[in-house]
Amino acid sequence: MNAQQQWTAYTTILVKEVLRFTRIWVQTIVPPVITTALYFVIFGNLIGSQIGDMGGHSYIDFITPGLIMMTVITNSYANVVSSFYGSKFQGNIAEMLVSPMPNWIILAGFISGGVARGLAVGLAVTLVSLLFSDLSVQHIFITFTIVLLTSTLFSLAGLINAVYAKSFDDITIVPTFVLTPLTYLGGVFYSIAMLSPLWQNISLLNPVLYMVNGFRYGILGASDMSIWLSYGVIMAFILLLGWFSLHLLNKGIGIRS
Amino acid sequence: MTIALDIQGLQKTYGNGFTALKGIDLRVEQGDFFALLGANGAGKSTTIGIASSLVNKTAGKVSIFGYDLDTQREQAKAQIGLVPQEFNFNIFEPVVEILVNQGGYYGIPRAEAFARAEVLLKQLGLWEKARDQARTLSGGMKRRLMIARSLIHQPRLLILDEPTAGVDIEIRRSMWEFLRKLNADGTTIILTTHYLEEAESLCRNIGIIDRGELIENTSMKQLLNRLDTESYVFDLASPVDILPTTSNLCHFTLQDPTTVEVVFHKEHYSLNKVFAFLNEHGVIVNSMRNKTNRLEQLFMDLVENNKH
Ligand SMILES: Nc1ncnc2c1ncn2[C@@H]1O[C@H](COP(=O)(O)OP(=O)(O)O)[C@@H](O)[C@H]1O
Ligand SMILES: [Mg+2]
């Protein structure tokens, strides 16, 4: 395939993915918006007002970046895992596998679809957050790149989950038992400075921490750690999972017998 | 002559340790209409799956119009259109979208793909359904949808895996007509089937596969010629009690007073001779029909012989 044909193939997947989640927007966009609005009301306004400052900011300002990030993470992941597993389950993944489009385009298409949903829902949640806190972004470039990279990373993770999944149960196990704990313990609701040194060190093993803090730095201008460390950790994971995903597709794991 | 599909020493052992192909050699020439015949589980879908990159091979070489599947996979894939045995489209996608997206995966821009989809859907009688979700289609329509999808990139080699399974007779005939025309216009076609009549009516060359081995690869005509006997059933104008004995090269059996079965050796006898003989004895034949599907019988023989 020449570059133009590859571009056509890539945009075909991307458009299809975007249409998929926008067509079922009641299932994909509305729920996270409602959930986050509840978080804002309960943790931000009601409980937050009792908590006082956290990391030098009002509690609601502190958790806003974390809540947006959490939404981006879950939605990027969910989009790719359900779309890729769905096409495995119905068999229409074969439409791509018989075509001459290289595997890296299949990968890029699905990942871009996940990023599109992550960003779309992230934007919706950000708009909601404006109702509850007066968010002003300190470093727009950092904010955007961190969210983009995080979204890419969890789209990749969703794809890997889908490749190995053999049933619909398998695509909910990882989000429930791995993703949710990692995000909740990733400094969304608290600053790790509050933890004992031991737990601070253990928290540093959680990659989500670097994303939430990078994002918080972009928005609030302050975080628990260096922004470069955040970029470094996210990039390292993207390269690792990206390489691994492509390897799985090339080997045909879970999709070719 | 260009070789459309060249398979050499193809072996497949599945993950569970089952060896589905034990070393297949198969050549299909450009322009051919080729039948891959075999009982259920013989290995037809496995062979096709490997040729179309849906199944990994264990050993052997496959090339499509000269493009090696290992070293030139992209070019090889671009030559093939596949109609798989099982429905495998997204049932919630509208019919025309399925075609246009498939075109997109081959690098065909949307507008162009849409124009092609319209032509194909009209040819296959699906244009009325273009905007409907695929799940609303009948079984026969779903088959035709998969045929349309496989042709969106105008492949030189079309492979169909049991395309008429579960399709009623009328639709089957119109699909045959469509495939005949496609073949006449230059597309090489390979189809697998266990409807023997289908292979006999459509195909010029045939391979018979049995438990992972190709046990026959020849022209349909030669295959049929190898049958040395023909059987017919005659309906007689008036009842007869006994029939005159002939040599053992031609044998009559009365099923009832007006129905007689005749079996004769093709080399030594002909229908003309049979009729001349019956004429001599004042027996009038009203109508006749084939006793059994000849190919079916031959097929059973071949599979049977392979057991020994
Ligand atoms: N994914 C698989 N894993 C294990 N065995 C398989 C798999 N697919 C097919 N087989 C076995 O391989 C043999 C050939 O199957 P197949 O090629 O589908 O036959 P056909 O299409 O001629 O009916 C069968 O015995 C089948 O059970
Ligand atoms: Mg089969």
Side-chain angles (χ1 to χ4, degrees):
Chain A
M1 289 182 115
N2 61 33
Q4 197 184 346
Q5 290 169 323
Q6 290 182 340
W7 175 251
T8 302
Y10 166 74
T11 51
T12 302
I13 304 182
L14 177 58
V15 169
K16 190 172 100 130
E17 287 299 295
V18 170
L19 285 178
R20 195 188 72 90
F21 77 73
T22 46
R23 238 182 242 137
I24 48 170
W25 61 277
V26 179
Q27 295 165 49
T28 52
I29 304 196
V30 175
V33 168
I34 292 177
T35 315
T36 327
L38 290 172
Y39 274 120
F40 279 125
V41 171
I42 296 166
F43 291 106
N45 281 10
L46 301 178
I47 298 178
S49 57
Q50 310 286 310
I51 293 179
D53 280 8
M54 171 119 12
H57 294 271
S58 70
Y59 188 61
I60 190 161
D61 285 351
F62 180 85
I63 64 167
T64 300
L67 287 175
I68 296 172
M69 204 51 149
M70 195 163 86
T71 312
V72 170
I73 287 173
T74 11
N75 280 278
S76 306
Y77 192 94
N79 198 68
V80 182
V81 79
S82 60
S83 175
F84 195 89
Y85 181 71
S87 55
K88 244 174 72 167
F89 184 76
Q90 286 207 55
N92 56 309
I93 187 80
E95 292 172 348
M96 296 182 192
L97 299 181
V98 298
S99 82
M101 105 175 111
N103 286 327
W104 65 266
I105 291 192
I106 299 181
L107 182 63
F110 274 101
I111 299 313
S112 304
V115 170
R117 163 129 160 233
L119 294 185
V121 180
L123 184 67
V125 169
T126 305
L127 294 177
V128 171
S129 75
L130 293 177
L131 300 174
F132 299 90
S133 69
D134 30 35
L135 201 67
S136 65
V137 178
Q138 301 299 313
H139 308 284
I140 185 91
F141 180 77
I142 290 176
T143 306
F144 184 72
T145 49
I146 291 278
V147 94
L148 192 68
L149 292 172
T150 304
S151 186
T152 304
L153 171 50
F154 282 93
S155 297
L156 285 167
L159 187 114
I160 293 168
N161 187 174
V163 163
Y164 284 109
K166 291 198 164 65
S167 71
F168 278 99
D169 286 342
D170 293 345
I171 67 172
T172 54
I173 286 174
V174 180
T176 311
F177 292 102
V178 181
L179 209 53
T180 310
L182 279 184
T183 39
Y184 275 72
L185 298 173
V188 173
F189 296 106
Y190 55 83
S191 161
I192 60 162
M194 293 168 64
L195 303 174
S196 69
L198 174 69
W199 284 105
Q200 282 194 27
N201 285 330
I202 292 176
S203 294
L204 291 176
L205 295 174
N206 180 356
V208 177
L209 186 76
Y210 300 86
M211 302 163 205
V212 168
N213 276 289
F215 192 61
R216 184 172 286 138
Y217 177 82
I219 291 183
L220 302 179
S223 99
D224 286 350
M225 60 193 41
S226 147
I227 182 66
W228 299 113
L229 187 58
S230 290
Y231 276 124
V233 169
I234 302 175
M235 281 309 296
F237 272 97
I238 287 181
L239 290 177
L240 183 70
L241 297 194
W243 167 82
F244 187 59
S245 304
L246 197 56
H247 171 76
L248 291 177
L249 292 183
N250 286 338
K251 284 264 166 202
I253 309 285
I255 49 177
R256 265 186 272 136
S257 39
Chain B
M1 196 71 188
T2 315
I3 306 297
L5 175 66
D6 193 358
I7 292 179
Q8 287 170 28
L10 188 63
Q11 294 179 23
K12 173 63 185 177
T13 302
Y14 280 107
N16 61 2
F18 181 80
T19 300
L21 299 180
K22 299 171 185 160
I24 299 244
D25 296 294
L26 184 67
R27 274 184 160 205
V28 178
E29 288 184 347
Q30 177 171 26
D32 201 355
F33 203 139
F34 189 93
L36 195 57
L37 201 67
N40 263 327
K44 304 180 297 293
S45 295
T46 303
T47 308
I48 278 179
I50 292 170
S52 55
S53 298
L54 291 177
V55 175
N56 290 326
K57 61 183 164 62
T58 307
K61 272 179 74 71
V62 177
S63 59
I64 292 119
F65 285 101
Y67 295 113
D68 187 286
L69 212 51
D70 292 320
T71 56
Q72 298 160 294
R73 194 180 279 272
E74 265 187 43
Q75 290 99 318
K77 279 171 156 184
Q79 316 300 320
I80 301 188
L82 173 70
V83 180
Q85 184 172 355
E86 312 285 344
F87 299 133
N88 72 340
F89 40 78
N90 181 346
I91 56 170
F92 299 109
E93 253 178 82
V95 168
V96 70
E97 284 302 315
I98 290 175
L99 268 66
V100 170
N101 284 338
Q102 180 70 88
Y105 303 151
Y106 283 89
I108 304 163
R110 209 182 152 76
E112 161 90 34
F114 192 89
R116 290 188 192 186
E118 182 174 346
V119 173
L120 284 168
L121 290 175
K122 281 181 177 161
Q123 280 175 354
L124 285 157
L126 287 173
W127 182 240
E128 261 79 82
K129 294 277 180 183
R131 299 284 170 190
D132 296 355
Q133 286 186 359
R135 68 190 169 88
T136 63
L137 268 52
S138 70
M141 287 175 167
K142 285 176 176 160
R143 287 270 162 219
R144 281 177 283 152
L145 166 59
M146 294 211 297
I147 294 180
R149 183 184 63 179
S150 72
L151 292 171
I152 194 79
H153 59 292
Q154 300 168 342
R156 293 159 80 190
L157 170 63
L158 177 64
I159 306 184
L160 307 105
D161 199 354
E162 309 209 9
T164 55
V167 174
D168 63 45
I169 190 79
E170 206 174 312
I171 305 277
R172 186 180 306 170
R173 303 237 173 245
S174 75
M175 273 165 64
W176 286 2
E177 269 327 296
F178 180 83
L179 294 176
R180 275 199 194 99
K181 175 153 191 323
L182 199 68
N183 179 246
D185 291 346
T187 308
T188 310
I189 300 182
I190 300 175
L191 66 78
T192 77
T193 182
H194 56 246
Y195 292 131
L196 313 166
E197 186 203 352
E198 183 160 87
E200 191 176 0
S201 134
L202 284 174
C203 301
R204 273 191 292 284
N205 290 297
I206 182 167
I208 297 180
I209 186 169
D210 180 50
R211 278 162 295 161
E213 287 174 287
L214 197 71
I215 57 173
E216 195 57 63
N217 186 3
T218 180
S219 76
M220 189 66 72
K221 206 169 169 182
Q222 268 179 5
L223 189 70
L224 294 176
N225 276 342
R226 290 230 310 271
L227 255 189
D228 51 5
T229 62
E230 291 271 33
S231 329
Y232 292 93
V233 176
F234 295 160
D235 292 314
L236 307 183
S238 48
V240 294
D241 290 337
I242 42 162
L243 271 170
T245 333
T246 54
S247 67
N248 53 7
L249 295 176
C250 176
H251 203 83
F252 294 106
T253 321
L254 263 184
Q255 292 182 342
D256 61 59
T258 57
T259 313
V260 63
E261 186 191 321
V262 55
V263 179
F264 62 86
H265 277 249
K266 278 200 296 201
E267 267 180 48
H268 308 284
Y269 251 83
S270 65
L271 267 179
N272 274 9
K273 271 194 187 173
V274 172
F275 282 125
F277 178 82
L278 289 172
N279 250 352
E280 247 177 67
H281 293 81
V283 178
I284 311 290
V285 175
N286 263 354
S287 61
M288 61 178 271
R289 61 196 137 90
N290 273 47
K291 171 77 190 331
T292 48
N293 185 309
R294 295 165 300 152
L295 189 54
E296 183 153 11
Q297 189 182 332
L298 179 60
F299 173 68
M300 299 302 247
D301 289 351
L302 286 167
V303 172
E304 197 57 39
N305 287 340
N306 194 43
K307 277 188 190 150
H308 307 307

